[in-house]
Amino acid sequence: MSTPRLVATDLDGTLLHSDGTVTDRTRAVLEELDARGVPVVFTTGRPIRWMEELWADVGGHGLAICSNGALVYDVARREVRDFRAVPREVGVAVAEQLRTAVPGTTFAVEHTTGWASEVDFPRHPDDRAERHTGDLADIFGDDVVKVLAVHRDLEPEDFWRRVEASAGDQVVTTWSSSFALVEISAAGVTKATTLAVLADEMGVLPEDVVAFGDMPNDVAMLQWAGTSYAMANAHPSLHELADHRAPANDDDGVAVVLTDLFGLSR
């Protein structure tokens, strides 16, 4: 391929090592691309509240796509630039359908700032952010960018498929975890749709974009980009559709590929 004009990369399982860190090697590659004026857009399922500690490592400038495409964050200004919320009436209705179809499902919502959940929703051990709890209808505001559905007893693949079948095309369902958790966005919202808007603003065509990912929430982005790389550690579904395979995240796979694509010094 010709030299890319825009790089889009997922974070967890892709750019970051498994311990959540950015290595010196990867940081050096990002800094070199920045010096060359090549935009790198970080496209993650993470909410903003899980990003603050990373900005210094991944570059405290430019734009980031968070919450699976639902939110665009201006890193330099430390503010939300755009977001696409899950309509309240849709989100609450879909949740009630899921309770009937998959009993035992509990829910949380990610707002543009902060999050809230039902009382029984499990807390991630690394998440220390303040959490408000209550009935879903009461905690579901107008700025919900992602709904989280979790089941404590079902196998992940079983739960994912059952949620997908129940929700249909009312919303977008995807997953990026190893347990029974489904991430729900507004209809038509993916990493790819938001990345397409940003690329168009920059005057960049899909064929000039190289994208990296490792989980099903990256599928649409890898399909949209002109050149796609699935990490060696990626979910099998990504290996089936990606143009190329990058070394694993713990082997600095994104940095390795970008070094070759841009002819950087090793």
Side-chain angles (χ1 to χ4, degrees):
M1 67 173 293
S2 58
T3 304
R5 295 181 56 204
L6 187 152
V7 176
T9 179
D10 174 52
L11 294 178
D12 295 286
T14 302
L15 187 77
L16 306 181
H17 270 216
S18 296
D19 62 1
T21 61
V22 179
T23 66
D24 290 341
R25 180 183 190 181
T26 295
R27 190 179 298 108
V29 169
L30 296 177
E31 290 174 351
E32 179 59 29
L33 293 185
D34 184 46
R36 295 187 181 195
V38 180
V40 178
V41 178
F42 305 106
T43 58
T44 180
R46 286 189 178 212
I48 291 298
R49 60 193 172 86
W50 283 10
M51 290 296 295
E52 195 59 41
E53 64 188 29
L54 287 174
W55 295 134
D57 288 330
V58 299
H61 59 275
L63 299 173
I65 295 172
C66 299
S67 295
N68 289 329
L71 187 149
V72 177
Y73 192 72
D74 187 317
V75 181
R77 293 178 178 272
R78 294 294 197 276
E79 64 183 25
V80 175
R81 199 194 78 167
D82 300 301
F83 70 92
R84 292 183 62 185
V86 180
R88 185 179 184 280
E89 64 277 10
V90 173
V92 173
V94 167
E96 291 309 312
Q97 289 176 214
L98 292 178
R99 288 189 210 279
T100 300
V102 194
T105 302
T106 56
F107 299 90
V109 292
E110 294 282 0
H111 298 277
T112 52
T113 58
W115 73 304
S117 78
E118 295 179 324
V119 174
D120 293 336
F121 191 87
R123 191 182 192 107
H124 191 284
D126 295 334
D127 196 335
R128 299 177 180 83
E130 181 180 358
R131 172 176 64 160
H132 299 289
T133 59
D135 294 337
L136 186 64
D138 295 330
I139 62 175
F140 206 115
D142 294 330
D143 65 341
V144 170
V145 290
K146 185 165 66 171
V147 179
L148 304 174
V150 74
H151 204 288
R152 294 177 181 271
D153 301 321
L154 294 177
E155 290 298 317
E157 291 277 356
D158 181 27
F159 183 59
W160 299 336
R161 300 307 177 194
R162 291 173 67 177
V163 170
E164 183 178 52
S166 176
D169 60 3
Q170 300 174 87
V171 291
V172 171
T173 60
T174 190
W175 52 90
S176 58
S177 61
S178 58
F179 59 101
L181 171 72
V182 173
E183 301 161 58
I184 300 172
S185 303
V189 174
T190 66
K191 291 183 179 184
T193 58
T194 304
L195 180 61
V197 171
L198 295 187
D200 185 63
E201 291 176 0
M202 299 175 191
V204 176
L205 298 174
E207 53 262 38
D208 295 320
V209 177
V210 60
F212 300 84
D214 75 305
M215 288 297 281
N217 64 334
D218 297 313
V219 165
M221 178 176 70
L222 267 59
Q223 291 174 322
W224 175 84
T227 303
S228 59
Y229 283 84
M231 310 306 292
N233 53 284
H235 188 276
S237 62
L238 273 73
H239 289 157
E240 295 173 4
L241 65 89
D243 300 320
H244 307 284
R245 186 175 298 196
N249 63 316
D250 286 334
D251 295 323
D252 289 335
V254 173
V256 169
V257 172
L258 293 178
T259 296
D260 289 339
L261 290 179
F262 288 91
L264 307 181
S265 58
R266 295 178 182 275

